[in-house]
Amino acid sequence: MKRFTFLAIISLFLISGLSAEEENPIKFKIEKSSPTTYLLKVVYPENFGVQKEAPHRILLNAGSGLKVVSADLKLKGKISTRKKEYFESVDPMQLKLEGKGELEIHAKIFYCDYNRNICIPGKILQKEIIQ
C-alpha cells in the first residue's frame, strides 16, 4: 500500500510538471506584410514582461518548399513602467520567406510574471503554416 501511495504521489508531480510546462504564456504570431515579408510578433499577457538583457534564442527551421531568406530576431521594444529591466511590449521582427510550407519556431524567451513575482526561461516550440 505504501508503494502504491508513493507511486501515486510521484505520478501526480510528474503530471503537474508536464502541464505547467504546457502553460507557457509566451506565443508567436506571424502576419504577412508583403508577398515575401512577414512580421513575427511575440505575444504575452498584460501582467508579464520579457527580460531586456537575457540570452534569448529564436531559431527558425523551414520545412520543404519554404526558405528563410533573412530574419532579424533580436528582441527590441517598449521598456516596462513596472520594472526597467523588462520590455512591456516587444516590437515585431521582420522575416523574409520564400515559398510555402511549415515553419518551426524554436525559442527560449526569459520572462517575468509580475503577479507571482517570478522569472522563468520559457521554452517554445511552435509550428506555423506559410501559404
Side-chain angles (χ1 to χ4, degrees):
M1 186 66 172
K2 288 182 182 180
R3 214 177 242 172
F4 176 75
T5 306
F6 178 72
L7 290 174
I9 291 171
I10 294 297
S11 297
L12 184 63
F13 281 124
L14 288 175
I15 290 169
S16 65
L18 291 174
S19 64
E21 189 173 310
E22 291 174 9
E23 294 175 14
N24 188 348
I26 308 293
K27 305 285 182 223
F28 290 101
K29 183 177 179 184
I30 295 182
E31 292 181 1
K32 192 172 195 173
S33 63
S34 76
T36 61
T37 306
Y38 294 81
L39 296 176
L40 179 65
K41 296 181 177 185
V42 180
V43 181
Y44 51 93
E46 190 176 302
N47 59 321
F48 285 80
V50 173
Q51 291 181 1
K52 287 182 352 183
E53 302 295 327
H56 303 292
R57 184 186 54 189
I58 302 172
L59 302 171
L60 304 175
N61 292 330
S64 64
L66 184 67
K67 179 181 178 186
V68 177
V69 178
S70 66
D72 179 12
L73 301 175
K74 180 151 175 58
L75 298 184
K76 302 171 199 146
K78 182 180 175 184
I79 297 172
S80 173
T81 54
R82 290 182 178 180
K83 294 186 178 188
K84 301 293 181 199
E85 60 271 10
Y86 294 91
F87 290 120
E88 184 173 298
S89 62
V90 177
D91 296 340
M93 296 166 276
Q94 194 169 38
L95 308 176
K96 290 200 181 210
L97 306 173
E98 288 180 352
K100 297 177 182 181
E102 187 176 81
L103 180 68
E104 277 188 358
I105 305 167
H106 297 266
K108 188 173 188 180
I109 305 291
F110 293 80
Y111 65 92
C112 184
D113 180 343
Y114 296 138
N115 292 342
R116 293 174 33 199
N117 200 26
I118 59 169
C119 299
I120 306 162
K123 291 183 180 180
I124 304 161
L125 171 58
Q126 188 171 325
K127 296 179 182 182
E128 297 288 330
I129 303 296
I130 306 299
Q131 302 200 13

